[in-house]
Amino acid sequence: MCGIVGFVGKKACADILVKALKRLEYRGYDSAGIAVFEGDSLKTVKAKGKIDEGLVRKLSEETPLTATAGIGHTRWATHGEPSDINSHPIGNGRISIVHNGIIENYRKIKEFLISKGYVFESETDTETVAKLLDYYYKGDPMEAIVKTAAEIEGSFALGIIFKDFKNTIFAIRRESPLIVGKGEGESFIASDVTAILDHTKDYYLLEHNEIARLDENGARFFDFNGNVIEKALHTADWDLDAAEKGGYKFFMLKEIHEQPEAIRKTITPRISDGMPDLSECGLTPEKLRGYKNIFVVACGTAMHAGLVGKYVVERIGRIPVTVEVASEFRYRNPIVSPDDLVILVSQSGETADTHAALTLAKDMGAETLAIVNAKGSKIARDADMVIYTHAGPELAVASTKAYMVQLAVFYLFAFELAWARNAISEEKCRSLVKGLEEMPALIEKVLEKPDSSQFAASKLVAAENLLYIGRGLDYALSMEGSLKLKEVSYIHSESYAAGELKHGTISLITEGMPVISVATQTDVFDKTVSNIKEVKTRGAYNIVVARESRQPGSDAADFIITVPETDDILMPMLAVVPLQLIAYYTGDLKGNDVDKPRNLAKSVTVE
Ligand code: M6R
């Protein structure tokens, strides 16, 4: 969703702002712009469309800018269509702002401002903030910001510049993320740290209702009463390489290949003497023994990781697990009690619905555990306990490595829970942990042979519809395979429990329609193969993901992609890799911008 950047220093800032905005492209956007202190004025350049085609083209038509301070924005449209006029920065000649979030009471404020004679140009909620700031601004920026923030409701991160306060940026946030970067003689604001990694790894996390003031002397922080706040400086453990493609055509492919390393980084600190150890987050064996029910609440791919988690935890831990999409959970008055554990899963840690579900679970007295990739993010900070996944920055909109490490955490969690509750023996627990430790090397083997996934992609590229089917863990996995394909190839696909097909959906099968089956689970293998035969009989072209040692015959499968041997329960980590690759290659073959699929944003900070 929207991205914010800002720079104050001694160098010309236009290129710095544009480059920082490009680093935020992965968040998803449809227009971009900057506003800078040029001479004694505020100069704004903004345009609909991709940064290079819109903003950069417009900048190239201008006299080169010499400003050394300014703000920038990538907009993902919510209020008002993507257009030059609705793009940010938004303001007038004396104030300019960039905004990430949604102002919920903007209509009321707009009516008030119209009654005071203000005329609105855009359809955005952001313009009400710019004009309210203007209304309250009587020469003291802090006063105007505090009065404005007291009136606006909803979520916001704002970068604000005042013509009268040359080379000074003000920033404030509530809900939406914002960091303040500290460089050598220069300061930054940004929606996330990837935007500033070209310059510095040091940053401050701006908290709710804190105001930052950046000028040539650095950054200072204030509360609403003007008191100075001392803040801890953080250092990003992501380097620039992690935020660059490193020879891969797309981030998605790079991130698929980073999965073995991401698993190693995520599990190694949580395995002690061959046994799982999640005590760092406060999950003790006593707590694990005490929970009555477990809920997993998340969105999209993170929810799919929770589905695999459910099968694994229930199978070996023998405790009920309910998995639900956050946008449903938050509004259906769920039955959650203080004896329950609610697990929130999120790569970004900023997803609005997942955060709302967290708040609800806490209000209902449940203990909350966040599984999050982005350090210091909202969900991580607000949950009772947090387990960070160590995927590094995931910049492709389609999540791959974040999903993989979410699975890794669910496995450790399930193993420790099952052991703590005496549902498995120590020997079994050790052997499962060993299997998990072997996973990175096995995934590397799968990644060495992308040809079969490429071939499968070539069979999908002309399809208009297809099905993913599986049973048990294979079904949970096929949901993720189907979502991945939809996201990056735009081909319509559905995931179905293989045994449910004949209750209706099998009517969709037509001659040559591709069906991707996942058939790795020993206990249901024969049943799944029967279902694969059922669709073959009706004309389907069957692509099957199966383990090396147990493959369906040619009477069922048209094309088989094999994965190496591991415990049934760990199979999803291996079998998901061909599904990710199939989605990637299909999207690429179709000529799509695989990293930034249409209509999608990386972190969904609105509901
Ligand atoms: O940042 P989160 O993990 O909370 O995001 C949740 C979903 O929006 C996300 O997984 C989405 O489904 C991805 N684009 C899937 O690839």
Side-chain angles (χ1 to χ4, degrees):
M1 302 228 137
C2 302
I4 287 178
V5 299
F7 172 83
V8 180
K10 296 188 176 59
K11 303 171 201 151
C13 70
D15 284 351
I16 293 172
L17 292 172
V18 168
K19 197 163 177 195
L21 287 176
K22 285 190 173 182
R23 296 242 177 249
L24 294 183
E25 279 189 302
Y26 78 94
R27 294 170 69 89
Y29 72 105
D30 39 52
S31 57
I34 62 170
V36 299
F37 293 93
E38 192 67 13
D40 290 328
S41 318
L42 296 182
K43 168 88 181 167
T44 302
V45 183
K46 56 186 188 174
K48 178 184 163 183
K50 295 289 176 202
I51 293 174
D52 280 332
E53 292 145 23
L55 176 62
V56 170
R57 184 187 46 76
K58 267 198 176 174
L59 281 168
S60 69
E61 290 161 4
E62 301 267 344
T63 316
L65 299 172
T66 56
T68 57
I71 51 179
H73 191 263
T74 47
R75 175 173 186 258
W76 191 83
T78 56
H79 296 65
E81 59 170 12
S83 69
D84 288 4
I85 202 86
N86 289 335
S87 309
H88 302 201
I90 285 182
N92 52 21
R94 63 177 198 153
I95 296 174
S96 186
I97 72 168
V98 285
H99 168 219
N100 175 20
I102 287 193
I103 307 302
E104 285 165 4
N105 59 341
Y106 83 100
R107 285 182 201 283
K108 200 172 127 209
I109 297 172
K110 191 168 177 176
E111 276 167 27
F112 166 76
L113 289 166
I114 288 171
S115 77
K116 295 290 172 194
Y118 282 93
V119 176
F120 282 75
E121 292 168 354
S122 76
E123 300 156 87
T124 64
D125 52 340
T126 303
E127 194 176 357
T128 58
V129 183
K131 291 204 161 35
L132 196 61
L133 277 165
D134 186 76
Y135 175 75
Y136 283 127
Y137 179 60
K138 308 280 185 261
D140 180 349
M142 291 288 284
E143 184 191 5
I145 291 169
V146 169
K147 283 186 170 168
T148 301
E151 284 199 26
I152 54 179
E153 290 166 13
S155 57
F156 55 85
L158 295 167
I160 310 163
I161 54 177
F162 294 81
K163 178 170 97 56
D164 302 349
F165 286 77
K166 190 162 181 182
N167 295 346
T168 303
I169 298 175
F170 295 86
I172 181 170
R173 71 170 282 257
R174 191 181 297 157
E175 304 295 341
S176 304
L178 200 71
I179 59 127
V180 175
K182 180 181 185 296
E184 286 294 318
E186 51 196 30
S187 303
F188 306 82
I189 58 169
S191 293
D192 71 53
V193 75
T194 40
I196 61 169
L197 284 176
D198 289 294
H199 309 276
T200 181
K201 288 168 113 180
D202 294 333
Y203 67 97
Y204 303 94
L205 283 169
L206 199 63
E207 301 287 345
H208 296 247
N209 289 337
E210 287 180 351
I211 300 171
R213 179 185 170 133
L214 288 65
D215 57 29
E216 282 150 357
N217 300 315
R220 282 170 296 159
F221 302 92
F222 303 90
D223 65 17
F224 272 19
N225 297 317
N227 301 313
V228 172
I229 303 169
E230 295 302 332
K231 294 188 68 69
L233 189 64
H234 299 265
T235 301
D237 53 9
W238 299 352
D239 57 21
L240 207 50
D241 285 353
E244 290 186 333
K245 285 188 201 147
Y248 289 94
K249 185 170 178 189
F250 285 102
F251 278 114
M252 184 178 172
L253 188 58
K254 174 176 179 253
E255 288 163 4
I256 290 171
H257 281 264
E258 285 171 347
Q259 294 183 115
E261 195 50 27
I263 297 171
R264 285 186 191 104
K265 283 189 177 152
T266 301
I267 65 171
T268 307
R270 283 129 185 181
I271 295 172
S272 166
D273 189 24
M275 291 291 277
D277 180 4
L278 296 173
S279 55
E280 62 161 40
C281 75
L283 262 183
T284 58
E286 295 69 41
K287 279 190 178 183
L288 289 167
R289 278 192 283 275
Y291 298 127
K292 294 268 183 297
N293 299 285
I294 295 174
F295 292 82
V296 182
V297 188
C299 303
T301 285
M303 190 275 289
H304 291 162
L307 280 177
V308 172
K310 170 190 165 75
Y311 278 91
V312 175
V313 171
E314 288 191 342
R315 190 185 292 185
I316 64 169
R318 307 311 297 158
I319 174 172
V321 182
T322 304
V323 182
E324 196 158 353
V325 290
S327 53
E328 288 297 312
F329 180 87
R330 64 182 289 194
Y331 289 118
R332 75 167 175 93
N333 197 7
I335 303 166
V336 178
S337 80
D339 291 331
D340 297 339
L341 174 68
V342 178
I343 303 178
L344 297 308
V345 191
S346 177
Q347 185 285 128
S348 64
E350 302 292 343
T351 302
D353 283 321
T354 309
H355 187 265
L358 163 65
T359 309
L360 177 66
K362 286 176 84 172
D363 289 349
M364 296 179 88
E367 184 141 49
T368 55
L369 166 68
I371 301 175
V372 169
N373 195 45
K375 309 269 170 341
S377 56
K378 211 159 82 167
I379 293 169
R381 282 187 290 178
D382 291 349
D384 299 318
M385 301 175 282
V386 57
I387 301 176
Y388 282 114
T389 52
H390 297 303
E394 188 181 66
L395 302 182
V397 165
S399 184
T400 53
K401 63 176 177 170
Y403 170 83
M404 185 64 90
V405 288
Q406 286 159 0
L407 293 190
V409 169
F410 270 113
Y411 282 114
L412 287 174
F413 174 82
F415 301 162
E416 185 156 7
L417 175 130
W419 164 234
R421 294 168 82 98
N422 279 326
I424 55 170
S425 66
E426 180 177 335
E427 193 192 355
K428 178 70 183 168
C429 191
R430 284 188 185 281
S431 107
L432 287 168
V433 170
K434 192 161 172 289
L436 184 61
E437 288 179 306
E438 287 164 0
M439 201 48 68
L442 294 179
I443 292 173
E444 274 156 5
K445 277 193 184 170
V446 178
L447 289 170
E448 276 164 17
K449 292 183 188 151
D451 324 26
S452 44
S453 300
Q454 276 167 326
F455 177 80
S458 73
K459 291 286 180 188
L460 303 191
V461 81
E464 286 183 4
N465 294 290
L466 66 120
L467 284 179
Y468 284 75
I469 61 171
R471 286 172 179 255
L473 274 169
D474 289 334
Y475 172 46
L477 196 62
S478 67
M479 290 208 176
E480 176 55 11
S482 172
L483 178 66
K484 218 74 318 169
L485 187 82
K486 278 185 272 221
E487 284 186 287
V488 301
S489 76
Y490 313 146
I491 297 173
H492 173 242
S493 78
E494 295 301 332
S495 160
Y496 240 75
E500 182 67 10
L501 274 181
K502 55 175 120 10
H503 298 285
T505 306
I506 202 163
S507 66
L508 295 177
I509 304 291
T510 51
E511 192 59 37
M513 177 174 167
V515 173
I516 300 183
S517 310
V518 188
T520 68
Q521 296 297 300
T522 315
D523 54 346
V524 287
F525 179 81
D526 291 334
K527 307 257 173 235
T528 307
V529 170
S530 299
N531 301 131
I532 298 172
K533 284 182 187 163
E534 283 163 11
V535 292
K536 184 159 175 75
T537 309
R538 286 153 182 89
Y541 179 83
N542 277 327
I543 297 165
V544 183
V545 177
R547 53 173 68 232
E548 274 162 7
S549 63
R550 199 152 185 211
Q551 303 175 27
S554 58
D555 54 339
D558 292 291
F559 183 69
I560 301 176
I561 303 175
T562 58
V563 291
E565 291 305 311
T566 186
D567 194 292
D568 269 26
I569 219 166
L570 291 165
M571 257 302 166
M573 290 182 104
L574 282 182
V576 76
V577 178
L579 300 186
Q580 294 168 335
L581 288 171
I582 289 172
Y584 168 78
Y585 287 120
T586 310
D588 189 31
L589 278 174
K590 291 191 81 172
N592 295 348
D593 184 348
V594 172
D595 285 339
K596 297 189 278 289
R598 68 185 180 205
N599 305 338
L600 295 178
K602 181 65 180 168
S603 74
V604 183
T605 52
V606 296
E607 66 168 296

